[in-house]
Amino acid sequence: MSQYTRFPDPADDTNPFQDPAVAQHSSNTGYATLDLYNPFDSNTTAPPPVAAAATAELLRKQEELERRAAELERRERALDSAGLGGAATRQNNWPPLPSFCPVQPCFYQDIAVEISQNFQRTVTAMYYFWIVSAGALQLNFLACLAHFCIDTAVGVDLGMSILWLLLFTPCSFLCWYRPLYKAFRSDSSFNFFLFFFIFFTQIVVYILMAIGIPNWGFSGWIVALSSVKKNVGAGVIMLLAAMVFTGQAVLGTVMLKRIHSLYRQTGASFQKAQAELASGVLSNDAVRQAAAQAAAGAAQGAAQGAFTGGR
């Protein structure tokens, strides 16, 4: 019987691993086989660079997805705890007033809940910037009051400082901080443009405050340096106000550039702002009623004209 049709005898040398081709292959360490690579052994050969790069990219994407999922879950829990789910309405919490106060909060504001984590630091910084602006107006009033105490001829500055304090404090919150908050909350192009326009005007006002033109109600450098000659104490207070106004102008310019760079990353555009404005106007009940009345009046006038012309 041929050796190819009979079972090998145990005494025969039929070890397949003695084949020269198999022995040569097992001695070649250039292949990434399971015997050569153990992921739990630091001494084994590393996987090929392409496989390592692909694994690292997958791990990075997985971490990014897990981070976003954790952020969404955190915001959902915060919304549930605030009672904002379903048909529940938001309870206004700003300004933070005591319960016995006859005036109730006018806005709902929670940066940790409504603002994405990527923009929370920027919105928080602008909120503190607004607080500093309100404090600077109070300091400006005290400086003008000190100046008035040593020179009663500057009563106009004192009166104007009171006007700026009562006017700029709420207007700055409503006109540039709230648009910024709503822009980052809902990715609103219209609110971004509104913020840029008004906040740029605010920076110009800060520059005028820092200059300190007489009879304008601003304790800037011109008025402060002139008051130092009259009284050192009042002059120091006015110089402090001038330094605060200068710092606000510089910091406001820096924040404006930073927010503009973030705005470009959000995908907002002038076309989206126009679309938001148009949709907001059309969704307004008063505007729709006025348009309907105007259309009805035009149709009635056209019908009357046709009837008169037919006669």
Side-chain angles (χ1 to χ4, degrees), residues 186-197:
S186 56
D187 192 16
S188 172
S189 299
F190 174 75
N191 283 290
F192 269 119
F193 278 95
L194 185 63
F195 163 77
F196 288 139
F197 176 76

Side-chain angles (χ1 to χ4, degrees), residues 7 81 245:
F7 292 100
S81 63
F245 289 148

Side-chain angles (χ1 to χ4, degrees), residues 104-122:
Q104 297 300 317
C106 303
F107 306 99
Y108 175 82
Q109 175 176 299
D110 194 336
I111 297 176
V113 173
E114 294 192 309
I115 306 300
S116 176
Q117 190 174 11
N118 298 332
F119 308 125
Q120 287 182 6
R121 293 184 60 183
T122 301

Side-chain angles (χ1 to χ4, degrees), residues 126 129-134 136-137 164 167-177 194-210 218 245-253 256:
M126 291 302 293
F129 184 81
W130 174 80
I131 293 177
V132 172
S133 300
L137 292 173
W164 301 140
L167 181 64
F168 283 168
T169 300
C171 288
S172 58
F173 183 86
L174 295 174
C175 296
W176 61 259
Y177 173 73
L194 185 63
F195 163 77
F196 288 139
F197 176 76
I198 298 178
F199 193 69
F200 176 79
T201 306
Q202 179 72 76
I203 293 176
V204 174
V205 174
Y206 287 147
I207 295 174
L208 295 176
M209 290 178 174
F218 300 141
F245 289 148
T246 304
Q248 283 187 303
V250 175
L251 185 58
T253 304
L256 181 63

Side-chain angles (χ1 to χ4, degrees), residues 7-264:
F7 292 100
D9 189 79
D12 294 340
D13 187 11
T14 58
N15 188 358
F17 296 100
Q18 298 297 327
D19 190 286
V22 176
Q24 180 181 3
H25 175 75
S26 62
S27 63
N28 187 359
T29 59
Y31 297 94
T33 61
L34 293 177
D35 295 333
L36 297 177
Y37 174 66
N38 183 0
F40 303 100
D41 188 0
S42 59
N43 296 324
T44 56
T45 306
V50 177
T55 303
E57 181 66 17
L58 290 176
L59 290 175
R60 187 189 64 81
K61 291 182 178 180
Q62 182 179 359
E63 292 177 356
E64 179 68 16
L65 291 175
E66 291 177 352
R67 185 187 65 80
R68 291 183 179 180
E71 173 66 13
L72 290 175
E73 184 179 359
R74 183 193 63 81
R75 296 182 67 180
E76 288 178 358
R77 288 198 304 266
L79 288 172
D80 293 338
S81 63
L84 304 180
T89 58
R90 297 175 177 175
Q91 298 295 327
N92 294 334
N93 59 0
W94 200 97
L97 300 172
S99 58
F100 60 83
C101 184
V103 180
Q104 297 300 317
C106 303
F107 306 99
Y108 175 82
Q109 175 176 299
D110 194 336
I111 297 176
V113 173
E114 294 192 309
I115 306 300
S116 176
Q117 190 174 11
N118 298 332
F119 308 125
Q120 287 182 6
R121 293 184 60 183
T122 301
V123 177
T124 303
M126 291 302 293
Y127 178 66
Y128 288 126
F129 184 81
W130 174 80
I131 293 177
V132 172
S133 300
L137 292 173
Q138 297 178 13
L139 179 61
N140 178 65
F141 164 70
L142 294 177
C144 291
L145 179 61
H147 193 196
F148 178 76
C149 292
I150 63 174
D151 186 3
T152 55
V154 295
V156 176
D157 282 330
L158 178 61
M160 293 297 292
S161 67
I162 297 175
L163 175 63
W164 301 140
L165 175 62
L166 298 177
L167 181 64
F168 283 168
T169 300
C171 288
S172 58
F173 183 86
L174 295 174
C175 296
W176 61 259
Y177 173 73
R178 284 297 295 180
L180 174 71
Y181 186 91
K182 292 188 288 187
F184 281 114
R185 182 187 62 187
S186 56
D187 192 16
S188 172
S189 299
F190 174 75
N191 283 290
F192 269 119
F193 278 95
L194 185 63
F195 163 77
F196 288 139
F197 176 76
I198 298 178
F199 193 69
F200 176 79
T201 306
Q202 179 72 76
I203 293 176
V204 174
V205 174
Y206 287 147
I207 295 174
L208 295 176
M209 290 178 174
I211 294 174
I213 302 175
N215 297 327
W216 280 36
F218 300 141
S219 300
W221 291 105
I222 296 176
V223 180
L225 292 175
S226 62
S227 65
V228 172
K229 303 176 182 179
K230 303 176 182 178
N231 186 278
V232 177
V236 169
I237 298 176
M238 300 189 73
L239 286 174
L240 180 60
M243 288 188 289
V244 172
F245 289 148
T246 304
Q248 283 187 303
V250 175
L251 185 58
T253 304
V254 173
M255 292 303 298
L256 181 63
K257 295 179 63 177
R258 179 180 177 182
I259 294 171
H260 184 264
S261 63
L262 293 176
Y263 150 79
R264 297 179 63 181

